[in-house]
Amino acid sequence: MTRPLPGAVVTPGGLPDTTTATATATYVFAVCHGCDPAVLTGLSGHAAGAPVRLLRFGSLEAVVQDVPAEMFGEDALRERLANRAELEHCARAHHAVVAAAAGRAPTLPLPLATLYLSDERARAALREDENRFRSVMGRIAGRVEWGVKVYAAPGRPERTGPTTTTLTATAPPETASAARTNTRPGHAYLDRARGARRAREERQEAGLNAAASVDRALRDIAVAGRRLRSHDTGVTGAGRVQLLNAAYLVDEGREADLIGAVELLRTSPGYERVELEVTGPWVPYSFVDGGDLDADQ
């Protein structure tokens, strides 16, 4: 995501709660260059908002919408975005507008809920960052973002509970005695526990090595790569341990190279213990603020 702009109020803040019920705010979706206003026709943007439009500043345009200020006040916005369904709804509305603009002109997406109290404040703040916007758009023009996630493949359940050894009636007394000594439940349990721990560590190491290999291979194809913060199982689902969460900036026309590389890795020796997931192409959200830097380093 981009850094907050001068004068902008970005999630989880919102607008001052002193705004009146009839007041509106300027919501900024993105910055673009040479966007045709007709591209925005019919886009709904956020519910209860006015038609999506362009706001010119300097040599660039911002894709904006007038929204009810009371719905984007600090408390109201925090409450809405704390609701998972509402957050997803807002994110989809935001992305739909950004994607429409990006499909026709160089476009730099701004963070969800970038708000100004008026067009004048938005224009003044955006003008201050005009040079940076142009530089970033030059870097991402003609390129798309692909997301790649690597998960540890689920292992078989490990048994560490006690087991029972049955001795045959024909076993010699000394053999039976030795067997009882070597199969005492406590010792057997500890042996199994140590073995299970070693197996987990080996799987983890193999998975991390595979994830690192995936990252290296895809960076050879991409213009830039960025390792994002991994999601925990609360997001990925029980038993789905995420080993890599990365984004890659790829020249348009090289999508087949990236997908082909992933498919080759999936079937290569050493990758049996991981699962690869590819998503895209996306507007380059992860590369508008220096995409060569890894978020988790």
Side-chain angles (χ1 to χ4, degrees):
M1 305 294 278
T2 61
R3 59 182 173 82
L5 302 173
V9 184
V10 184
T11 304
L15 299 171
D17 286 318
T18 55
T19 53
T20 65
T22 57
T24 61
T26 301
Y27 184 108
V28 185
F29 295 91
V31 170
C32 56
H33 180 240
C35 184
D36 182 355
V39 172
L40 309 178
T41 302
L43 293 176
S44 57
H46 291 288
V52 178
R53 59 188 173 86
L54 293 178
L55 175 67
R56 300 190 183 279
F57 67 95
S59 60
L60 302 175
E61 309 96 35
V63 182
V64 305
Q65 182 182 30
D66 295 327
V67 296
E70 64 175 349
M71 293 181 61
F72 288 85
E74 184 173 356
D75 291 339
L77 189 60
R78 183 182 296 112
E79 181 178 349
R80 289 172 59 204
L81 299 187
N83 181 293
R84 193 179 188 90
E86 185 67 17
L87 173 60
E88 182 176 348
H89 178 76
C90 290
R92 288 183 181 277
H94 183 94
H95 175 68
V97 174
V98 172
R104 299 294 294 273
T107 300
L108 187 155
L110 295 187
L112 183 69
T114 299
L115 295 154
Y116 297 89
L117 292 173
S118 66
D119 280 6
E120 290 72 23
R121 292 197 181 189
R123 185 180 285 111
L126 295 168
R127 187 66 184 266
E128 289 186 28
D129 258 5
E130 183 177 356
N131 289 337
R132 182 175 72 87
F133 291 151
R134 294 183 67 87
S135 175
V136 173
M137 282 191 283
R139 185 171 73 244
I140 66 176
R143 293 165 176 163
V144 292
E145 176 176 329
W146 285 83
V148 176
K149 298 177 176 62
V150 179
Y151 299 91
R156 289 178 298 179
E158 295 157 350
R159 293 181 57 192
T160 56
T163 60
T164 301
T165 301
T166 302
L167 302 177
T168 63
T170 57
E174 63 274 13
T175 305
S177 176
R180 283 193 297 269
T181 300
N182 294 332
T183 57
R184 285 184 293 179
H187 287 184
Y189 175 83
L190 292 175
D191 287 343
R192 286 191 298 275
R194 283 191 290 266
R197 184 175 64 251
R198 284 194 299 269
R200 286 195 300 270
E201 291 171 350
E202 289 172 359
R203 284 198 302 271
Q204 178 75 1
E205 183 177 3
L208 291 173
N209 288 339
S213 297
V214 170
D215 188 44
R216 286 194 299 270
L218 298 186
R219 283 177 187 262
D220 287 342
I221 297 170
V223 175
R226 189 169 197 174
R227 295 189 68 162
L228 308 174
R229 192 174 302 279
S230 296
H231 297 140
D232 60 29
T233 53
V235 176
T236 63
R240 296 199 80 201
V241 178
Q242 194 171 83
L243 304 174
L244 176 69
N245 180 22
Y248 300 94
L249 186 64
V250 180
D251 286 327
E252 291 179 348
R254 293 211 66 188
E255 295 94 333
D257 294 338
L258 182 136
I259 295 173
V262 171
E263 291 303 321
L264 180 62
L265 289 168
R266 278 191 175 122
T267 58
S268 298
Y271 293 85
E272 303 86 355
R273 293 181 173 178
V274 296
E275 297 175 352
L276 279 65
E277 178 181 291
V278 181
T279 60
W282 306 105
V283 178
Y285 286 94
S286 301
F287 297 92
V288 297
D289 198 21
D292 294 317
L293 301 177
D294 289 341
D296 56 354
Q297 292 184 351

